[in-house]
Amino acid sequence: MYRTHNCNSLRKTDIGQPVTLAGWVNVTRDHGGVIFIDLRDREGLTQVVFRPEEDAELAKQAHALRGEDVIQVSGRVAARLPGTENPNLATGDIEIIPSGLRILNRTDTLPFPIDAEPQNEDLRMTHRYFDLRRPRLARNLRMRHRVAKATRDYLDSQGFVEVETPILSKSTPEGARDFLVPSRNMPGKFYALPQAPQQYKQLLMVAGVEKYFQIAKCFRDEDLRADRQPEFTQIDIEASFVTPDDIFAVTEGMLGAIFKAARNIEIKTPFDRLTYREAVSRYGSDKPDRRFGMELVDLSDDFRLSSFKVFRNAIDAGGVVKAINAKRFAGITIGQADELTEIAKLYGAKGLAFIKIENGEWKSPIVKFFSDAEKAALQSKLNIEEGDCVFFGADKWETACEVLGRLRLRIAEIQDLLGRARPADASEWDFFWVTDFPLFEWSPEENKWNAMHHPFTRPKTEDMPLFEAKKFPEVRAEAYDVVLNGVEIGGGSMRIYEPELQEKMFEALGISPEARQSQFGHLLRALRLGAPPHGGIAFGLDRLVMLICGEQSIRDVMAFPKNNRAMDLMTQSPAEVDPRQLRDLSLKLAKDKKL
RNA sequence: GGAGCCUUAGCUCAAUUGGUUAGAGCGCCGCCCUGUCACGGCGGAGGUUGCGGGUUCGAGCCCCGUAGGCUCCGCCA
């Protein structure tokens, strides 16, 4: 037995007890005579005191200890000398008087200090096992476990059954780039790693499972971001004979259980609901951050007959004029204005018009084109006050909204309006639903309609006539997202369960009858064998845990994440393989790697 | 595929306008120190300034290229 207690368990009541502890040397304080060692394990710290007059040999050994050496200490629990208790430490009233010291393992010079926030992320990733020893990441890993456990417990209590689905799966034409796995038994053929268990979970509904969930690994071979990894984890849920309201209720119950378990927070349910149209109109985003105002205001009616050509032309072309009022932002610097203009252009605006309200004066080159009525409309609709700065977007609805939405976020960042990294109470956790997403989105590159969510999402019943009439841009989907503090943490839909409707959907997406059979034949067949109405949702576990932990990157809530280029710097993967392995797989590398 | 920022000791950073032998704190090594808890004190080792080229009497600093890292755009049904 290596230890009798952990490093956070001994208190005053244990004084006199013989104990054995094991862990890492957190810090040594060597006074030449007396030597203090803070011994650390995952639970906490306990001070060990070596006194040469009690055991010269032990003290000599202790003198050689360095941070992160692994040791085992036997001894007895003693009260600290009066006045030397440490109130900042749970074990601060006691210390260990050792009678034995075993050095289990020595450490090299540390790659970086374990008690500071290292700057170099690749250094951290190369020594990830060491990085994870830091309290912040250790806390994140355990928080993630609590979230996963609360998820399983809650869904189990609601009658959901966890079913594993294959990792060796099949490539599908829609969606993200697949990771491929060559088949040895079937030369020239490939498995694909699942982008999501989407089809399997629908097939489980056909199988009569009725209530399914899985904490599922998913794989997408696309470029990475702070919140995107090539392999990530979804809380995947599907149920039969349900409406969106049923899914909403399960989701709200589950997130409530998760936040209770992880942070002891009672979140406010039911969540607000916004339609996609409303979210984009008011916030310029389908996953808005509502923790600050600065809403988009529509001014199209006020400028319909304006003599200001830029606005007038946008409206005449069927577009809109919208604006946001950034309170107390009239002090905007030249550099900030340039940056915001760059952002506006990046998202499709031709330029960026804004008005600073300073010393009772509206300062902008465009104000002279405005009529008194137009100014009055601005004044009242935007609630303009001294010190404000108003930004305009005049363009197609989508462009104007997106541009102002992006500006809104950046301005909030500059003004530091966004919530603190770790919101303290429920009011700072803003959950809501976004519903009624468009069913389709146009792909100019492919010159065809794509499914906004996925090809199995059903149109809203009241929009079926639009779907039949092939008015694709107007068809809304029975699809929904959950947004938390401006981050999309989950999304789902009611699925198509009628084979005829699914065929029509594939047709709308430009998938040939042959391709439908080869790619989706199993699903179409299943829909003909008694598929119940069903629908579901999936959550990004990593993003959810990231928010709960107050982290900025999902890498900080994953044990072994990949870097920007999808490499694991610790194991140096991906790596070359033995030619024999390639031969087994009937693979040959192209000489020209740019083939 | 594109844009921005970054790269100086094991780590975090500094180095005036381009100017002597590239410094500091932490860590490491050695010595001193008997109640600390970020213990303290003295001393020491440790550098091809990512790499390659250029400009210059002289480059950590300027220019070009390149590699790597991070963030973002594209991409992510």
Side-chain angles (χ1 to χ4, degrees), chain A residues 123-156:
Chain A
L123 191 73
R124 289 176 53 196
M125 290 307 167
T126 311
H127 302 87
R128 185 61 165 178
Y129 40 82
F130 182 73
D131 194 28
L132 289 171
R133 213 183 281 165
R134 294 163 52 227
R136 189 178 120 211
L137 292 196
R139 179 207 71 185
N140 291 355
L141 284 187
R142 294 177 77 174
M143 188 71 90
R144 185 179 177 121
H145 162 75
R146 281 211 287 281
V147 170
K149 180 167 184 338
T151 299
R152 288 202 165 93
D153 289 348
Y154 178 79
L155 291 173
D156 174 67

Side-chain angles (χ1 to χ4, degrees), chain A residues 345-359:
Chain A
K345 285 180 178 166
L346 185 61
Y347 290 98
K350 283 138 206 115
L352 179 61
F354 62 95
I355 303 177
K356 298 194 286 185
I357 292 82
E358 277 182 317
N359 306 319

Side-chain angles (χ1 to χ4, degrees), chain A residues 230-304:
Chain A
E231 56 178 304
F232 60 100
T233 305
Q234 284 189 346
I235 301 170
D236 195 42
I237 296 175
E238 195 80 4
S240 298
F241 309 113
V242 291
T243 63
D245 281 341
D246 296 313
I247 299 296
F248 293 177
V250 168
T251 294
E252 287 163 4
M254 182 187 82
L255 288 170
I258 287 172
F259 272 74
K260 182 71 187 164
R263 294 286 304 271
N264 198 27
I265 286 169
E266 308 280 349
I267 64 173
K268 183 177 157 286
T269 58
F271 303 159
D272 289 349
R273 298 181 194 182
L274 269 66
T275 64
Y276 169 86
R277 181 89 198 168
E278 190 183 359
V280 174
S281 265
R282 289 175 59 191
Y283 302 98
S285 169
D286 61 0
K287 47 177 168 40
D289 192 329
R290 306 193 306 174
R291 290 172 298 169
F292 58 96
M294 220 193 296
E295 289 192 25
L296 280 58
V297 173
D298 194 294
L299 301 163
S300 308
D301 287 342
D302 307 291
F303 285 94
R304 201 165 297 285

